[in-house]
Amino acid sequence: MARIVRFHQTGGPEVLRIEEVPPSPPGEGEVLIAIKAIGLNRAESLYRQGMYLESPTLPSRLGYEAAGTVEAVGAGVTGLKVGDRVNTLPAFSMGVYGVYGDSVVVPSHAVSSFPGNLSFEEGASFWVAYLTVYGAFIEHGGLRKGQHVLITAASSSVGYAAIQVVRAAGGVSIATTRKPEKAEMLRQGGADHVIVTGKEDLAARVMEITKGRGADLIFDAVAGPSLETLAVAAAQEATIIVYGLLSMKPTPFPLTVALQKGLSLRGYTLFEIVSVPERMARARKYIFDGLTSGALWPVIDRIFPLESIVEAHRYMESNQQNGKIVITV
């Protein structure tokens, strides 16, 4: 029997159940993977609560990122063979597939090799983070050397990836966190400047750091009322990219400041990258080159066993983590 994680009703972490089901052979265009590690993402928490971009059909599986070895391939699958070390791309609907479990079937287009210098835990930790940042900064944001980049909620795995990408591009990263105890960890993780928003005036500190110019590119995971503060902290003709909704409160558009400064504001998800083959090819090369050279490295916070999946989700929602939360199987 295979162990999988499902939920039969939306709600808090306690709705997650580990269930035993007969193993499923891969169908046409599918791959069966023996899972070694699973990376957790905020999207899965929102999905479990019925608050994500897609709604679950109950009972539902969940999970985008995992790493393991190929157990079997379905008809029509090429380029993969039994025993290959692979990980999964966030390129499918969780309403159809999900990688929380010890043996999972996924579409072959969502299966990738990963650099041999990475462990299974690291292999389960990088696609969502680096695809999110690559699309925002490289494809859409036009990140250039010398630019100041403001990164909110920077202690997430995406936040650390953003700090690394800014450094690789020769930019200056300004990381924010609400918790003073995370500030030194962010500095050790490569942030050039850290603002503790619970103690410091964000806009004033950004202006001080940038000598009155403001941030050229703002990468926001929070949204909500704080967007108005980010607009004040922005430079003339800056771009604000919102990729998350941690606030869960209405997000007012800062019209007056946007008009005064000529700001560009856009919503963004990594699906803009994975759904376009040309963009995905560029992203894959960028990420693999960075992981191989050491310019990029997945930051893992804590590792839980599969049996502690409920505890792991509770920990994710506590906002204590610095980097990725990983499940081992």
Side-chain angles (χ1 to χ4, degrees):
M1 299 290 280
R3 291 185 303 162
I4 64 169
V5 176
R6 287 196 297 195
F7 57 100
H8 294 252
Q9 64 186 70
T10 57
E14 67 279 357
V15 303
L16 297 176
R17 301 182 189 176
I18 298 175
E19 301 175 345
E20 292 191 350
V21 298
S24 300
E28 184 172 358
E30 294 181 330
V31 179
L32 176 66
I33 302 174
I35 300 299
K36 304 294 185 184
I38 302 161
L40 302 193
N41 294 289
R42 287 279 180 181
E44 293 136 25
S45 170
L46 293 171
Y47 184 69
R48 189 204 68 230
Q49 298 174 71
M51 301 171 68
Y52 189 48
L53 300 175
E54 61 173 323
S55 299
T57 299
L58 302 173
S60 180
R61 300 188 63 168
L62 73 168
Y64 277 130
E65 284 189 286
T69 58
V70 174
E71 281 193 301
V73 297
V77 175
T78 60
L80 293 167
K81 64 182 185 303
V82 173
D84 283 351
R85 292 172 86 245
V86 296
N87 59 8
T88 59
L89 292 157
F92 50 80
S93 166
M94 283 192 286
V96 181
Y97 297 96
V99 299
Y100 284 17
D102 58 15
S103 181
V104 306
V105 171
V106 292
S108 61
H109 70 259
V111 179
S112 173
S113 61
F114 60 93
N117 60 320
L118 301 185
S119 66
F120 284 114
E121 290 80 8
E122 291 167 328
S125 301
F126 70 79
W127 278 124
V128 166
Y130 290 116
L131 283 172
T132 300
V133 176
Y134 171 84
F137 288 0
I138 308 302
E139 286 283 338
H140 298 312
L143 175 61
R144 300 185 304 277
K145 183 177 181 179
Q147 286 190 315
H148 286 84
V149 183
L150 179 61
I151 303 160
T152 68
S155 61
S156 68
S157 58
V158 176
Y160 277 104
I163 290 168
Q164 294 166 19
V165 171
V166 171
R167 170 161 290 197
V172 180
S173 58
I174 306 171
T176 78
T177 178
R178 290 183 295 112
K179 299 183 178 182
E181 61 271 21
K182 290 186 175 184
E184 184 56 33
M185 293 181 184
L186 286 166
R187 292 188 187 97
Q188 292 175 5
D192 295 300
H193 302 275
V194 179
I195 299 173
V196 180
T197 55
K199 291 187 171 183
E200 302 176 273
D201 183 312
L202 186 148
R205 281 286 290 127
V206 169
M207 288 300 171
E208 179 184 348
I209 291 165
T210 62
K211 296 180 171 54
R213 172 178 169 78
D216 303 289
L217 182 59
I218 298 176
F219 189 50
D220 181 39
V222 182
S226 64
L227 189 65
E228 294 181 304
T229 301
L230 298 182
V232 174
Q236 288 293 132
E237 299 185 12
T239 298
I240 302 174
I241 297 176
V242 181
Y243 74 95
L245 58 162
L246 289 174
S247 168
M248 302 304 293
K249 295 179 180 178
T251 302
F253 183 75
L255 178 59
T256 301
V257 179
L259 290 172
Q260 291 170 339
K261 294 186 175 182
L263 301 180
S264 298
L265 192 153
R266 80 185 311 277
Y268 163 77
T269 73
L270 58 77
F271 300 110
E272 295 181 35
I273 304 301
V274 298
S275 64
V276 181
E278 296 81 6
R279 290 177 179 171
M280 187 61 210
R282 292 192 293 267
R284 179 187 175 92
K285 183 180 187 309
Y286 178 91
I287 293 167
F288 272 41
D289 286 351
L291 291 170
T292 302
S293 71
L296 308 179
W297 64 96
V299 176
I300 295 176
D301 176 79
R302 278 186 65 179
I303 297 175
F304 293 82
L306 182 63
E307 294 78 10
S308 298
I309 187 64
V310 171
E311 181 186 352
H313 264 240
R314 287 198 179 111
Y315 180 67
M316 178 167 59
E317 293 179 1
S318 74
N319 296 320
Q320 297 177 60
Q321 70 270 22
N322 271 280
K324 195 78 163 182
I325 302 167
V326 174
I327 302 292
T328 54
V329 181

